[in-house]
Amino acid sequence: QVQLQESGPGLVKPSQTLSLTCIVSGGSITTNYYYWSWIRQPPGKGLEWIGNIAYSGSTYYSPPLKSRTSISRDTSKNQFTLQLSSVTPEDTAVYYCARTGPEPGSNYYWALYDYWGQGTQVTVSS
């Protein structure tokens, strides 16, 4: 089975760039036709889709976050990364990486995500 694991600093200072890596095992991030997403959950709030990178390398971002978000991948390491720039305390959340199966549907329909990482807490504070 596919396993995903988030990795990165748990504390980021305001105005800096949040950087996380998702380590994938049990399946290739280049396998047709899967999409690899970053999702977050602020304390006391619901899940928020950030963006994804497709098996092809194409990227897609949530419009409210697009200007600050960059998702990339390293296929040799079977990993993909999230960079969120100019962070504020409102970016404090548990950050997840997850896979969407080949079934069509909304990026915000959480049932379509067949594998999730355990999540990692990221706090933005000075």
Side-chain angles (χ1 to χ4, degrees), residues 34 47 55 65 81 84 88 95 102-103:
Y34 294 100
L47 294 167
Y55 58 94
L65 299 173
T81 63
L84 183 66
T88 72
Y95 284 75
E103 300 85 4

Side-chain angles (χ1 to χ4, degrees), residues 11-104:
L11 182 64
V12 183
K13 296 179 179 178
S15 82
Q16 294 187 338
T17 296
L18 181 158
S19 183
L20 296 172
T21 297
C22 183
I23 305 165
V24 180
S25 62
S28 173
I29 61 174
T30 64
T31 296
N32 299 352
Y33 296 96
Y34 294 100
Y35 293 74
W36 307 86
S37 288
W38 286 102
I39 300 157
R40 69 181 184 181
Q41 185 168 33
K45 299 181 180 179
L47 294 167
E48 178 185 18
W49 181 73
I50 299 169
N52 64 25
I53 186 163
Y55 58 94
S56 63
S58 298
T59 54
Y60 305 89
Y61 303 111
S62 173
L65 299 173
K66 183 177 181 179
S67 66
R68 298 195 291 132
T69 306
S70 179
I71 297 173
S72 59
R73 67 181 184 176
D74 185 337
T75 57
S76 68
K77 296 180 180 179
N78 207 39
Q79 299 174 346
F80 64 103
T81 63
L82 169 69
Q83 291 185 300
L84 183 66
S85 65
S86 303
V87 298
T88 72
E90 286 66 47
D91 293 309
T92 294
V94 176
Y95 284 75
Y96 299 91
C97 52
R99 187 184 80 166
T100 307
E103 300 85 4

